[in-house]
Each structure stands twice: as structure tokens, then as C-alpha cells.
């Protein structure tokens, strides 16, 4: 079965998770959020959980071996057969190659890279007012308010502020994005379809632009790219 694989890039707070959920709902495919998988892993009392808590709260990248293993295990699940949305992976060139080894791209598979371009000013505003739920939902005190203050609309649990949403940690995460993740952009262009959207706009405007561009590349008049890594 040919797969549509959407890979979302963007600096922290650009709205990757928000837009990934919209693609997932529309095309009925799962979202794989590596950040959420790691936050789930850090909950226990194991040595790994302790290490993860330290790395995530500092806004640093988790070691390759750990994160690659988590991704590989998730890609073995049956629900990814028709395709999936990937949020937060790959974050560097090494992860990019690991991903494409795991995907084992077939001729009819479509790889769609979505870049959400967002200014540093907007990122700081968003992350400062983000509220998260352990079920994976995210809210914003101004732009995406929960129906009941402090509670998740989806599961009713208490919302919390992520450790890495503190101003000094946000600065580190933005720096890391520019240093490690941006070099992937050139590789992505050679590998699949590329969509760039203006992430500074509001949530609906961003998704409108994104779905319009997804539709354009899905048009039968447009030739697909069959490049591989
Ligand atoms: P991860 O959870 O992936 O964090 P991130 O990439 O920094 O991205 P965020 O989740 O902060 O933001 P987002 O772009 O998803 O924005 P969101 O939709 O939430 O990773 C966390 C950590 O895990 C990393 O720092 C690292 O330590 C580790 N990690 C993860 N992947 C790894 C990997 N591959 N290798 C190694 N380590 C890894 O939106 C943000 C807020 O803004 C929300 O409140 C939302 O409601 C609001 N919002 C969204 N869009 C808009 C809009 N257009 N207008 C107004 N508000 C908006």
C-alpha cells in the first residue's frame, strides 16, 4: 500500500504539534510526536527516565541511540501502514539517514516535508503561554484556550507548564534548531516534496495555507519526485 508520509519541521513553538494533529485528523493517519514519546518515557523511575528528565528540561537533544530506538519501535506498529505524520524527528543529519533507512521508501510512497517558518519573537510569545496535557494535547492561554480553565478538553486532566518552556531554555532550543536541524533542509529538498508555510499567522491561516499546498502537490497534473536517500 503506498504511503503518504508528512514530516514537519520548524523551530520550537512554530506549531508542529498543532498542525500535525490537523493532518492526522483530516487524513486519518497517526501522528508520531517524538517529543511526546520521550515525555512519556521520562515519567518512570528508571535510569533512562532520570537521564531524560535532565536532558528535556535543559532543552538539549536526547542521545541518538535512545531516540533512534524509540522511533524504530514506533514505526513497527501496524497503524503506520497507510502513512503517518512525523513531528520532532529528524533533528539532525544522522537522524535523517536513520529515518530513511527505517522508512525503506517504495516507488509510490509520497514524502512531504512541511517547513513552518516562524520568527523568534512569535516563538517566545507562544511558548510562554503554552499549557500541555500528559495525553499529548496542547493549549495556548490566548490563541487556543481550553474550554474549562486549567483542564484538558480531551481527557479532563490538569494542564501543566512544560519545564523547557522557561525563557532561558527556549533560547537554547532555538539555537539548537538553527545549528542542528536547519542543515537538513537541503537534504529534504532532494528527497521529497517541499512545502513552506508562514508560521507567524494564526492557527487557521497556517493550516489553510498548508492544506492548499498539500492539495497542489497531490494534483495528478503535478509530477511526483521519486528521489531517495
Ligand atoms: P518537542 O516536544 O518536539 O519540542 P519542540 O520541537 O521544541 O517543539 P514544541 O513542542 O515546543 O513546539 P511545536 O512546534 O510542536 O508547537 P506547538 O504546536 O506545541 O521536543 C521536546 C524535547 O524532546 C527536545 O527539546 C529534545 O530535548 C527532545 N527531543 C525531541 N525530539 C528529539 C529528537 N529527534 N532527537 C533528540 N531529542 C529530541 O505550539 C506551541 C504553542 O503555540 C501552543 O500553545 C499552541 O497552542 C500555540 N500555537 C501553535 N500554532 C500557533 C499559531 N499559528 N498562532 C498562535 N499560536 C499557535
Amino acid at each position: 500500500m503506498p504511503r503518504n508520509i508528512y514530516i514537519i519541521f520548524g523551530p520550537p513553538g512554530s506549531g508542529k504539534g498543532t498542525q500535525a494533529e490537523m493532518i492526522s485528523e483530516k487524513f486519518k493517519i497517526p501522528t508520531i510526536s517524538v517529543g511526546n514519546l520521550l515525555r512519556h518515557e521520562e515519567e518512570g523511575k528508571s535510569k533512562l527516565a532520570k537521564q531524560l528528565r535532565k536532558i528535556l528540561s535543559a532543552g538539549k537533544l536526547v542521545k541518538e541511540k535512545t531516540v533512534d530506538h524509540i522511533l524504530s519501535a514506533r514505526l513497527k506498529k501496524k497503524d503506520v501502514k497507510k502513512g503517518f505524520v512525523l513531528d520532532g524527528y529528524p533533528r539532525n543529519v544522522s537522524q535523517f539517514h536513520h529515518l530513511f533507512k527505517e522508512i525503506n521508501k517504495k516507488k509510490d510512497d509520497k514524502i512531504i516535508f512541511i517547513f513552518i517558518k516562524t520568527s523568534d519573537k512569535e516563538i517566545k510569545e507562544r511558548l510562554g503561554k503554552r499549557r500541555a496535557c500528559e495525553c499529548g494535547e496542547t493549549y495556548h492561554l490566548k490563541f487556543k484556550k481550553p474550554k474549562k480553565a486549567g483542564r484538558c478538553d480531551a481527557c479532563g486532566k490538569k494542564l501543566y507548564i512544560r519545564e523547557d518552556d522557561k525563557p532561558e531554555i527556549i533560547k537554547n532550543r532555538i539555537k539548537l534548531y538553527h545549528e542542528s536541524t536547519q542543515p537538513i533542509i537541503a537534504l529534504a529538498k532532494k528527497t521529497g516534496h517541499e512545502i513552506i508555510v508562514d508560521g507567524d499567522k494564526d492557527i487557521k491561516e497556517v493550516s489553510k495555507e498548508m492544506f492548499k499546498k498539500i492539495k497542489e502537490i497531490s494534483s495528478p497534473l503535478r509530477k511526483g519526485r521519486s528521489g531517495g536517500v
Side-chain angles (χ1 to χ4, degrees):
M1 185 186 291
R3 298 167 295 177
N4 275 8
I5 298 171
Y6 299 86
I7 303 173
I8 309 200
F9 290 102
S14 55
K16 299 184 293 296
T18 304
Q19 299 299 330
E21 280 312 318
M22 291 186 173
I23 297 177
S24 164
E25 269 176 38
K26 193 174 171 88
F27 299 126
K28 310 278 179 270
I29 51 174
T31 298
I32 301 177
S33 160
V34 172
N36 282 348
L37 292 174
L38 289 167
R39 277 185 286 280
H40 186 68
E41 284 292 328
E42 72 168 358
E43 277 165 15
K45 286 185 176 161
S46 65
K47 199 176 155 200
L48 175 65
K50 208 172 150 194
Q51 280 171 357
L52 287 177
R53 273 197 292 278
K54 209 170 157 192
I55 298 171
L56 264 71
S57 61
K60 293 181 179 161
L61 284 189
V62 172
K63 275 189 196 140
E64 229 68 275
K65 208 174 137 193
T66 309
V67 85
D68 289 354
H69 174 75
I70 286 174
L71 179 87
S72 301
R74 180 63 185 87
L75 288 179
K76 284 193 176 62
K77 295 202 174 164
K78 280 188 184 151
D79 63 343
V80 300
K81 277 203 172 123
K82 281 198 303 186
F84 54 92
V85 192
L86 194 52
D87 161 19
Y89 191 104
R91 290 198 193 228
N92 58 31
V93 173
S94 157
Q95 292 183 9
F96 187 92
H97 290 296
H98 179 77
L99 173 66
F100 279 89
K101 200 173 102 213
E102 287 291 322
I103 288 178
N104 190 17
K105 184 180 174 298
K106 307 282 183 311
K107 192 173 157 274
D108 292 330
D109 288 341
K110 198 176 266 172
I111 312 284
I112 301 138
F113 295 98
I114 300 170
F115 294 94
I116 308 181
K117 283 185 85 172
T118 314
S119 63
D120 291 1
K121 187 174 162 271
E122 185 69 28
I123 290 168
K124 285 170 195 158
E125 161 73 14
R126 284 188 199 167
L127 295 183
K129 293 194 173 70
R130 169 164 60 187
R131 296 296 179 268
C133 178
E134 62 183 48
C135 76
E137 287 287 328
T138 51
Y139 299 88
H140 191 277
L141 296 183
K142 198 166 147 194
F143 306 121
K144 194 186 167 197
K145 290 183 190 172
K147 288 184 189 123
K148 197 173 163 199
R151 294 276 164 188
C152 177
D153 293 351
C155 70
K157 283 194 184 139
K158 206 172 164 202
L159 301 178
Y160 70 97
I161 301 175
R162 270 171 51 173
E163 274 294 314
D164 58 351
D165 278 349
K166 292 178 186 150
E168 65 281 11
I169 310 292
I170 294 172
K171 235 196 261 174
N172 289 345
R173 289 163 64 203
I174 296 174
K175 189 168 170 267
L176 200 58
Y177 173 78
H178 291 303
E179 284 170 3
S180 306
T181 311
Q182 272 195 331
I184 301 176
I185 295 174
L187 274 177
K189 278 182 186 164
K190 289 189 222 155
T191 313
H193 299 274
E194 182 198 35
I195 285 176
I196 300 172
V197 292
D198 179 358
D200 278 357
K201 291 185 184 160
D202 71 34
I203 296 177
K204 279 192 182 147
E205 285 292 310
V206 177
S207 60
K208 201 172 148 195
E209 186 184 356
M210 180 177 74
F211 285 121
K212 184 172 170 272
K213 291 183 172 172
I214 290 175
K215 203 173 169 191
E216 280 166 12
I217 60 165
S218 307
S219 154
L221 294 174
R222 202 188 141 117
K223 277 189 184 165
R225 231 180 273 182
S226 58
V229 182

